Amino acid sequence: MIGKSGQTRDGIRIHQEVDFAGMHKAGALASKILDDIAEHVFVGQTTGELDRLIEAMVNDAGAKSATIGYRGYQHASCISVNHVVCHGIPSDKKLKDGDILNIDVTVIVDGWFGDTSRMYVAGGKPNRKAERLIQVTHDALMIGIEAVKPGNTFGDIGHAIQSFVEGHRMSVVRDFCGHGLGRVFHSPPNVLHYGRAGTGAVLEEGMFFTIEPMVNLGRAETKVLADDWTAVTRDKSLSAQFEHSVGVTATGVEIFTLSAANKYHPTWG
Ligand code: MF3
Ligand code: CO
Ligand code: CO
């Protein structure tokens, strides 16, 4: 049974059953945009042009971009290439063959936020290390999502992700985390992608949040460039990320940002 309307637990909002429909609608649009942008990722394309296409897709759907105007950010997406960990700013730089990139889109539909990101490869063929990184990062997200059910804790999610990633001798970024969302963009809790099982707030039906692990081939440390947004790996190693928006149900989890076309693998097309 979902708690009373407007209730919070540990500062985390408990949403109602009808709210799931709003999140599904917002999540579906964000996910569809990531499906549709795939064919525009090619060698010589610029991340600025990808962002313009994304902004047009958001507008054509009658939705709003959550990132334009957010803390002074001016784009409809973050596009993070190679050793950029997250919050890459779209630019006129051209993609090169084998570049790996994360595209992160957040839209607002009827007041609800849908936030999701995936990896793409310019030219379609990553090198073997990059391919492994992308696969491990996607698997890490899904393993984290498997830990989402009432009674488990946020520490269980972080622990599942961290042990999987480190088992593959890669590292989990500590400096950025997932977050609650719903009718707001970033709300409690911080969803860490590392941690100890059984620690942290207890998951309850009606909680909405993102899981968005960033995984590095080298060390976990990051730094933010002088533009105040772009986060890169300190050791310049490759970094990957996938993100879903999810909701806790009575028995487990619903993913709001699944791809209707099942377009997760960056080399499928
Ligand atoms: N979409 C990002 C997230 O997953 C946030 C981007 S904020 C921006 O939380 F301003 F950089 F766009
Ligand atoms: Co997010
Ligand atoms: Co995001």
Side-chain angles (χ1 to χ4, degrees):
M1 186 47 196
I2 296 187
K4 281 212 293 291
S5 191
Q7 212 172 352
T8 60
R9 204 91 68 222
D10 291 311
I12 305 164
R13 177 164 291 272
I14 306 297
H15 297 87
Q16 302 301 297
E17 206 154 309
V18 295
D19 300 339
F20 279 76
M23 289 299 285
H24 272 294
K25 222 174 138 190
L29 175 62
S31 173
K32 174 76 163 57
I33 289 171
L34 292 187
D35 287 352
D36 292 346
I37 200 66
E39 65 177 282
H40 300 282
V41 176
F42 46 77
V43 176
Q45 175 66 291
T46 69
T47 55
E49 178 60 16
L50 291 171
D51 182 71
R52 281 186 284 278
L53 290 164
I54 288 167
E55 187 175 347
M57 291 180 199
V58 175
N59 292 335
D60 289 349
K64 260 195 70 176
S65 163
T67 54
I68 296 173
Y70 177 78
R71 295 175 180 238
Y73 194 78
Q74 293 178 0
H75 304 274
S77 62
C78 297
I79 305 186
S80 303
V81 183
N82 293 336
H83 75 298
V84 178
V85 172
C86 63
H87 302 161
I89 299 176
S91 76
D92 292 336
K93 223 174 121 182
K94 289 185 163 72
L95 295 171
K96 298 187 303 294
D97 195 22
D99 278 352
I100 67 168
L101 52 148
N102 173 277
I103 304 182
D104 189 339
V105 172
T106 311
V107 297
I108 313 172
V109 178
D110 301 333
W112 296 100
F113 285 69
D115 185 5
T116 184
S117 80
R118 286 181 215 158
M119 297 301 294
Y120 301 81
V121 183
K125 245 188 132 40
N127 67 35
R128 283 229 308 282
K129 273 188 160 174
E131 187 168 16
R132 254 189 85 232
L133 170 68
I134 290 169
Q135 189 68 54
V136 165
T137 308
H138 184 261
D139 292 348
L141 168 61
M142 299 317 286
I143 284 166
I145 291 174
E146 279 172 27
V148 177
K149 61 173 178 202
N152 275 7
T153 69
F154 282 95
D156 291 332
I157 299 172
H159 176 76
I161 292 169
Q162 181 182 12
S163 38
F164 177 76
V165 167
E166 292 178 354
H168 284 86
R169 307 195 152 279
M170 298 177 194
S171 54
V172 174
V173 169
R174 309 290 203 271
D175 301 335
F176 301 92
C177 56
H179 49 91
L181 85 173
R183 286 192 177 278
V184 286
F185 195 174
H186 292 119
S187 57
N190 286 332
V191 180
L192 307 182
H193 305 111
Y194 59 94
R196 286 187 14 238
T199 64
V202 177
L203 300 175
E204 267 188 51
E205 183 180 6
M207 289 180 176
F208 296 165
F209 52 87
T210 72
I211 306 180
E212 47 182 299
M214 286 139 276
V215 175
N216 300 345
L217 274 184
R219 295 178 56 86
E221 285 76 15
T222 71
K223 67 174 178 191
V224 175
L225 300 185
D227 61 25
D228 272 347
W229 282 105
T230 314
V232 299
T233 54
R234 278 194 178 267
D235 65 6
K236 302 210 167 58
S237 68
L238 280 186
S239 187
Q241 179 178 30
F242 284 85
E243 173 176 28
H244 274 312
S245 299
V246 306
V248 184
T249 65
T251 52
V253 63
E254 269 174 32
I255 304 175
F256 299 127
T257 45
L258 283 177
S259 166
N262 208 23
K263 287 188 172 187
Y264 294 108
H265 205 282
T267 60
W268 91 102

